[in-house]
Amino acid sequence: MTTEDPSPPSYWYSENREDERGARIMEAMRSYRAAEMTMRRRTQDSMAMGENELLVLRFLTRAASAHRDVTPIDLARHLGVSTASVTALLDRLERSGHLTRKSHPVDRRKVLVSTTAHADDEMRETLTAMHARMMQATRGMTESETDAVTAFLLRMRCAVANSCADAGDTCCMIARASSAASDTVSGPPVAHPDAA
């Protein structure tokens, strides 16, 4: 993989140095997203699955580690698809031996979905080396660097999801506090096109 030039994209215009730094960060994020998309395609090819199948397995794995039950409706909400689409997806994953469905022990109207040992082994075999490299990239960061990166990524998630439209979203308070601090230091923001 080649290292891309982190200079601002040609459509970005601003005389503000803070915007120039922001554009460099955005370009680095684009480069990361491109590498992540390539990795996801490799993983899909390796496991002979589509993206939604992998998203389901990841969701189920996280839910299991948190001791949370998962129903097909939970998966439909997570993926943003219809329950009929989830049923077809679960049928495929069950046939391939990656998940099981069973009745809820208390509410017999509900079905619980979980991964199989085969799915856990396959995901571990496919993803462990990459996860180790990613964790290695975080080693050596100080607590303040970790806090800064985490807060930044939370603000970016909010910006991309436009979740501040949702009343009471906690990340909106972070975004507003950051914006207020920035306005105090540098004055009113400079108008510029959307960087995404």
Side-chain angles (χ1 to χ4, degrees):
M1 184 175 125
T2 59
T3 305
E4 294 184 21
D5 177 17
S7 59
S10 59
Y11 60 80
W12 190 272
Y13 60 92
S14 177
E15 297 298 318
N16 185 313
R17 286 190 59 79
E18 189 170 353
D19 286 347
E20 188 272 333
R21 287 193 304 270
R24 285 189 353 243
I25 291 170
M26 298 297 285
E27 201 57 31
M29 286 183 62
R30 282 190 194 90
S31 178
Y32 169 77
R33 284 198 313 255
E36 185 181 37
M37 287 171 61
T38 301
M39 175 275 298
R40 285 176 187 255
R41 282 193 294 273
R42 278 196 316 265
T43 304
Q44 290 169 23
D45 292 345
S46 171
M47 295 180 72
M49 290 183 183
E51 184 173 2
N52 278 348
E53 282 90 348
L54 284 177
L55 290 173
V56 164
L57 293 181
R58 183 180 298 155
F59 185 86
L60 291 172
T61 301
R62 287 182 180 150
S65 67
H67 307 292
R68 273 194 344 263
D69 290 337
V70 177
T71 67
I73 291 173
D74 296 327
L75 292 169
R77 287 184 186 132
H78 176 66
L79 296 175
V81 298
S82 69
T83 52
S85 295
V86 164
T87 299
L89 190 151
L90 296 181
D91 288 343
R92 288 194 301 273
L93 287 171
E94 193 168 38
R95 279 194 304 271
S96 66
H98 288 92
L99 64 78
T100 60
R101 288 179 274 198
K102 63 181 180 182
S103 296
H104 192 283
V106 177
D107 186 348
R108 296 292 180 181
R109 296 167 300 173
K110 287 185 179 179
V111 172
L112 298 181
V113 185
S114 58
T115 57
T116 61
H118 164 67
D120 295 339
D121 290 344
E122 189 174 4
M123 288 183 70
R124 195 173 297 112
E125 182 181 325
T126 304
L127 301 174
T128 295
M130 181 202 60
H131 286 164
R133 291 192 305 271
M134 292 174 77
M135 287 305 293
Q136 184 61 38
T138 68
R139 298 225 166 89
M141 291 177 69
T142 65
E143 191 65 32
S144 62
E145 288 172 331
T146 302
D147 289 345
V149 170
T150 304
F152 164 72
L153 291 173
L154 178 58
R155 291 194 308 270
M156 290 305 296
R157 179 184 68 80
C158 294
V160 170
N162 196 22
S163 59
C164 286
D166 301 332
D169 193 313
T170 54
C171 68
C172 297
M173 291 181 272
I174 294 171
R176 287 188 194 111
S178 174
S179 176
S182 175
D183 289 350
T184 303
V185 172
S186 62
V190 176
H192 53 74
D194 185 0

